[in-house]
Amino acid sequence: MIRFDSVSYTYGTSSGRRKALDDVTFSLGPGEMLAVVGANGSGKSTLARLANGLLLPASGRVLVEGIDTATRSQRVRTLVGIVFQRPDDQIVATTVEDDVAFGPENLGLERDEIRRRVDQALAAVGLTGLEAREPHLLSGGQKQRLALAGALALAPRYLVLDEPTSMIDPKGRGEVMRVVSRLREDGHGVMLITHDLEEALVADRVLVLQSGRAVFDGRPSEMTKALDLDAVGLELPSIVRMAESLAAAGLVVDGMSETAVIEALCRSTL
Amino acid sequence: MSLNLVNVSYSYDRVPPPVRALDSVDLDVGVGELVLVLGTTGSGKSTLLLVASGLVEPEHGEAIIDGATLGREHVGSSVGLVFQDAESQLFADSVMDDVAFGPLNLGVDPTEASGRAHEALSTVGLQPDEFGDRSPFSLSGGEARRAAIAGVLAMGPRYLLADEPTAGLDASGRKAVREALLRARRSAGVVVVSHSSDDFLPHADKVLLLTGGRTSWWGPASALVAEPSPLVRAGLRLPPVLSVQAELHRRGRYDQPFTLDPTEAAHRISQVMRCSP
């Protein structure tokens, strides 16, 4: 389990100190998908960097499987993989397979083990067959899946994804989100950081940040009732507004995805 | 007054074989209109913007601005171009200086340039008194993007072209940029290029759909909303509200006109569902 225990974090700036995270407490278990949402500047990316010890809390504790990240244990870094927003910034090698092998090589693993991990990671993200391809020839969605494969090759138990789809086109976004769902099914704990509420709706839980504070932690379906989304800088997806209007008109719709709305409507007229 | 592309083609041939990025494409945007150009990555959208701005001459066909041949002399003063990540080009010490730089550079006198900068900042929803003296680098993502758009507007273009203007912004930033471009439409023709119909389809007058450099659809936005299957064929995602209506229609359960408005869509669906046996 990843556990944030009353975590605060402060950045020093030229105009003084700015609190990026303020007394945040939550946890993420294996096989669970937590979406972390909030407007730009709400503290989402800071939270991502605290989860694997890239940043250490100013106060409070972050525990990964019971290990305090403040101990700077290497174990934390291997338990929690992280993927950032811009795939181009995360690619280091000149072929797809070398890029994925970079992490395991640095861990000093045996050659056979490296081969096994590279093959497995590329299969998990659907890039098998592109081993020899130069990364700059990949599409945006493929590059981001390559970055994911690089993180997976270190065999993490948890994955922190910091707005992995915000810079790629809708097709690439769909590809990445399908891989993310599969990783959760495989038992990985997934922390998906996003400002797209449509993506957040498929998570088990949503943590909403506003100016560094956690203002909601619960199921996606409860979020729209409990929160004034406008006030936290988020936009209610149009499909949810539609589902709410349908419910008000007496057509009960359980769930908020496109498919859920369609299925519910078709059932209601049978 | 209008900006027209007539039967325009363009190929990239720096690395053989030549790649035809645009193939016999027509476009027509009038002052006061917003045209949305949609297509997947690699469909020719960005090349279209380069040709329509006058930065790149078409290989075949014609680019015409208000009856004259479009050329490099029109870039900036007559046709403004807002690139992706436009905010990365902000450079001055204050927002006001940054926005006034364009007109000053065109030889406009300082008083007039300052007046234009004030007006452009108001158009994009950044009040000059509040934002004028601030450093461009202290702005949020959405504010910085709008300041960059103001810098283009201050040059007084009759046509404004924007490449993925809302990409990478959060909900409030996207909304503010959308409103800025809709206000700009009052005095200019606006072309927005995007791979997503979510932000601008409800506001567009016309839509050009590009597939592999060719026109796969061109017409009034309302006609595309009424019959959205060309979007799907072009590999684009339907806005979810439209997708629900299209799927219900496909299953023979919905025969109302399609709408993008979620509340209106729910109303129409509930009417039909009540009538069903």
Side-chain angles (χ1 to χ4, degrees):
Chain A
M1 182 175 287
I2 298 182
R3 188 167 168 73
F4 277 56
D5 213 350
S6 302
V7 170
S8 296
Y9 188 83
T10 311
Y11 286 103
T13 67
S14 53
S15 56
R17 302 187 74 74
R18 192 174 69 79
K19 212 163 204 181
L21 276 186
D22 189 0
D23 196 20
V24 172
T25 298
F26 71 93
S27 60
L28 167 70
E32 193 179 19
M33 180 166 163
L34 173 75
V36 179
V37 301
N40 290 345
S42 59
K44 303 190 297 291
S45 293
T46 305
L47 186 132
R49 286 159 176 76
L50 283 158
N52 83 335
L54 275 177
L55 296 176
L56 298 175
S59 65
R61 293 190 308 172
V62 177
L63 300 173
V64 177
E65 307 294 32
I67 307 168
D68 192 328
T69 57
T71 61
R72 297 169 193 275
S73 156
Q74 182 62 40
R75 179 87 184 119
V76 168
R77 297 282 171 88
T78 50
L79 281 169
V80 185
I82 185 162
V83 173
F84 296 102
Q85 188 174 17
R86 292 176 187 270
D88 287 326
D89 297 349
Q90 303 168 66
I91 292 169
V92 294
T94 52
T95 66
V96 164
E97 62 181 348
D98 285 353
D99 194 71
V100 179
F102 180 79
E105 278 169 358
N106 274 332
L107 289 182
L109 298 177
E110 297 288 330
R111 190 176 273 277
D112 287 351
E113 174 66 8
I114 294 174
R115 183 76 257 166
R116 196 182 63 79
R117 287 202 184 191
V118 169
D119 291 346
Q120 214 168 39
L122 286 175
V125 301
L127 289 179
T128 305
L130 297 181
E131 286 80 359
R133 185 73 61 93
E134 294 173 38
H136 70 94
L137 295 176
L138 300 177
S139 71
Q142 287 173 328
K143 281 184 193 168
Q144 199 54 294
R145 286 186 283 145
L146 174 59
L148 256 170
L152 285 174
L154 297 170
R157 207 167 292 169
Y158 300 92
L159 279 160
V160 176
L161 312 171
D162 189 2
E163 304 204 22
T165 64
S166 72
M167 303 303 285
I168 53 186
D169 69 13
K171 182 162 168 282
R173 182 177 293 207
E175 294 167 5
V176 170
M177 288 304 291
R178 274 191 292 280
V179 171
V180 170
S181 296
R182 259 204 316 274
L183 293 175
R184 164 174 56 174
E185 284 157 22
D186 292 347
H188 289 90
V190 177
M191 189 189 295
L192 174 69
I193 291 168
T194 177
H195 54 233
D196 184 343
L197 277 188
E198 263 183 77
E199 285 183 1
L201 294 178
V202 304
D204 301 300
R205 272 167 48 228
V206 183
L207 179 76
V208 182
L209 293 178
Q210 180 184 22
S211 309
R213 299 188 72 95
V215 294
F216 177 83
D217 180 355
R219 291 176 44 197
S221 55
E222 290 154 8
M223 168 180 63
T224 55
K225 296 185 194 95
L227 268 187
D228 177 1
L229 290 172
D230 255 1
V232 295
L234 294 169
E235 191 175 37
L236 189 62
S238 55
I239 187 75
V240 177
R241 294 209 331 255
M242 184 176 178
E244 288 179 354
S245 299
L246 286 168
L251 290 166
V252 179
V253 174
D254 44 354
M256 294 184 293
S257 72
E258 224 169 281
T259 335
V261 170
I262 291 167
E263 292 313 320
L265 286 172
C266 286
R267 270 201 312 277
S268 75
T269 53
L270 283 176
Chain B
M1 295 213 290
S2 62
L3 179 67
N4 298 74
L5 300 184
V6 183
N7 204 18
V8 159
S9 298
Y10 189 83
S11 304
Y12 291 101
D13 55 4
R14 270 169 298 180
V15 186
V19 178
R20 183 148 273 205
L22 280 182
D23 192 351
S24 316
V25 172
D26 292 331
L27 175 79
D28 164 18
V29 55
V31 170
E33 275 187 333
L34 189 146
V35 175
L36 176 61
V37 180
L38 290 171
T40 56
T41 305
S43 60
K45 304 189 301 288
S46 298
T47 307
L48 179 107
L49 275 196
L50 292 176
V51 174
S53 68
L55 273 175
V56 163
E57 200 179 316
E59 188 183 333
H60 300 290
E62 277 186 293
I64 299 162
I65 180 167
D66 303 333
T69 300
L70 179 69
R72 282 189 168 246
E73 67 277 18
H74 295 105
V75 179
S77 57
S78 302
V79 186
L81 184 53
V82 179
F83 288 102
Q84 280 187 45
D85 293 329
E87 62 276 18
S88 63
Q89 293 163 43
L90 297 171
F91 67 97
D93 289 338
S94 76
V95 168
M96 187 58 76
D97 285 353
D98 208 297
V99 176
F101 176 81
L104 285 172
N105 207 30
L106 289 177
V108 171
D109 81 70
T111 320
E112 155 109 29
S114 161
R116 285 203 198 175
H118 271 83
E119 198 185 323
L121 281 170
S122 303
T123 301
V124 300
L126 298 174
Q127 291 321 310
D129 293 345
E130 188 187 342
F131 287 92
D133 293 335
R134 284 179 58 179
S135 160
F137 307 104
S138 71
L139 303 178
S140 75
E143 289 164 354
R145 183 89 43 101
R146 283 185 283 151
I149 294 172
V152 175
L153 286 176
M155 289 189 272
R158 295 191 296 285
Y159 303 95
L160 180 71
L161 316 177
D163 195 359
E164 298 284 3
T166 55
L169 298 180
D170 66 9
S172 56
R174 288 211 314 274
K175 185 166 174 233
V177 166
R178 188 167 66 222
E179 287 170 354
L181 291 173
L182 294 176
R183 275 195 297 273
R185 169 168 64 173
R186 292 176 194 165
S187 55
V190 178
V191 178
V192 170
V193 156
S194 180
H195 54 233
S196 158
S197 57
D198 292 353
D199 280 316
F200 287 97
L201 185 57
H203 309 282
D205 299 296
K206 291 187 284 197
V207 177
L208 171 65
L209 197 53
L210 289 178
T211 313
R214 288 168 172 269
T215 302
S216 53
W217 199 87
W218 164 236
S222 55
L224 188 60
V225 172
E227 179 23 48
S229 59
L231 283 170
V232 181
R233 281 200 300 275
L236 295 165
R237 200 187 70 135
L238 284 188
V241 169
L242 216 47
S243 165
V244 169
Q245 294 166 80
E247 180 59 19
L248 290 174
H249 177 75
R250 196 184 66 80
R251 299 193 193 184
R253 290 171 184 279
Y254 185 70
D255 55 2
Q256 300 290 302
F258 293 175
T259 171
L260 282 167
D261 182 298
T263 317
E264 179 56 28
H267 175 70
R268 290 182 193 174
I269 290 169
S270 64
Q271 299 266 310
V272 181
M273 295 290 167
R274 290 235 173 76
C275 295
S276 301

